[in-house]
Amino acid sequence: MTDARESAGPNGETPARHAPGTPCWVSLMVHGLASTEEFYGALFGWEFRPGPQQLGPYVRALLDGREVAGLGQLPPDRQLPIAWTPYFASRNADLTAETVRSRGGTIGVGPLDASDAGRLAICSDPSGAVFGIWQAAEHLGTAVSGVPGTPAWNELLTFESASVAKFYQTVFGYEEEPVVSADFDYVTLLRGGRPVAGIHGLGQALPRDQGPHWVTYFEVADVDDALDHLVHLGGQVLKPAHDTAHGRVATVADPEGARFALLQRKR
């Protein structure tokens, strides 16, 4: 993680519509929806209300009445990886999906309409990491950021950054800001000069049981307190809290194994 600058305004409000290429939503598909709601509700203070049901039971998580993330239930016969998936804003999901295909990515779901909320596609980049495309209609995406309980950053863990960064640059029009270092492979993706996501090349250190995957960072007020709470709720600490240039960070998993990170920003 090299940067997690918030996109919110001074009161934590995001713009009415997310600019193309910016992370606009995160969603998690699980087997036990009710128990997952209980876990994240207790951890982040989320409340829930029903969302589009095109892909099965689905709820939107709210913080103080504003939407921050989505949770859905997998069909019983689908043994897919349980993982948080970031969605990137697009003005035309079909065109973006076609660009994904033409650049070596794959489309797993869609493009399809999610009721009146918008149009989506679920894709994989050439390395196999899963991400989503969201063309907003009634549902604009995450409505608040920069406060505890909200997504703060998305980072792709992969084998090497350069070729994968070119893929995302072509699909979403990013600028690239690589770290110049012989032993640290990292590229920050920017839109309009603002960091929006990162790509971290881990080489052979990438866990084989995971493969390339996106990790969502959620902001918390106190990461050590949040870890204690998470373990009490049945979660697991994968990488203990440690200090970075951008704040205190820990990598964790929920009771179904979905990995994510907690970030306590420097004040």
Side-chain angles (χ1 to χ4, degrees):
M1 181 180 185
T2 66
D3 209 316
R5 295 177 216 172
E6 58 201 67
S7 59
N11 298 316
E13 298 284 357
T14 56
R17 185 173 292 270
H18 294 266
T22 58
C24 62
W25 190 244
V26 288
S27 192
L28 174 64
M29 302 296 289
V30 296
H31 294 293
L33 183 55
S35 59
T36 301
E37 287 182 45
E38 290 178 8
F39 173 83
Y40 286 101
L43 182 63
F44 292 139
W46 291 349
E47 298 176 336
F48 301 92
R49 69 180 178 203
Q53 308 292 306
Q54 272 73 8
L55 301 179
Y58 190 83
V59 296
R60 291 178 182 155
L62 289 79
L63 190 65
D64 296 328
R66 292 176 291 183
E67 296 174 342
V68 294
L71 300 175
Q73 183 163 309
L74 288 166
D77 58 340
R78 297 294 294 274
Q79 298 302 315
L80 298 174
I82 308 298
W84 280 99
T85 300
Y87 283 73
F88 299 92
S90 169
R91 288 199 176 98
N92 186 323
D94 295 78
L95 182 59
T96 303
E98 188 54 44
T99 305
V100 167
R101 287 192 194 95
S102 70
R103 297 299 174 177
T106 58
I107 308 299
V109 176
L112 57 82
D113 289 328
S115 185
D116 297 325
R119 192 162 174 80
L120 68 86
I122 301 175
C123 317
S124 298
D125 68 26
S127 74
V130 176
F131 66 96
I133 298 167
W134 182 251
Q135 178 185 334
E138 290 186 358
H139 173 61
L140 300 179
T142 302
V144 58
S145 65
V147 297
T150 62
W153 185 247
N154 290 284
E155 187 169 276
L156 174 60
L157 303 184
T158 189
F159 292 108
E160 58 83 30
S161 66
S163 63
V164 180
K166 292 298 181 188
F167 166 83
Y168 286 99
Q169 180 187 45
T170 301
V171 173
F172 293 114
Y174 297 131
E175 305 112 48
E176 296 180 26
E177 186 177 85
V179 173
V180 180
S181 172
D183 56 1
F184 188 62
D185 179 13
Y186 199 99
V187 173
T188 301
L189 302 175
L190 307 95
R191 281 297 305 240
R194 183 175 66 85
V196 296
I199 299 177
H200 191 181
L202 295 174
Q204 297 306 309
L206 184 72
R208 290 293 179 179
D209 62 332
Q210 285 287 302
H213 61 283
W214 282 92
V215 175
T216 296
Y217 288 69
F218 291 95
E219 183 159 345
V220 293
D222 186 304
V223 74
D224 297 281
D225 286 350
L227 288 178
D228 288 342
H229 198 28
L230 175 135
V231 171
H232 177 73
L233 294 168
Q236 181 182 1
V237 179
L238 303 177
K239 187 174 182 180
H242 57 284
D243 293 317
T244 74
H246 310 283
R248 194 158 172 78
V249 173
T251 304
V252 298
D254 70 17
E256 286 206 23
R259 299 183 179 210
F260 59 101
L262 302 174
L263 168 66
Q264 175 187 339
R265 294 186 192 273
K266 282 190 171 181
R267 299 300 181 187

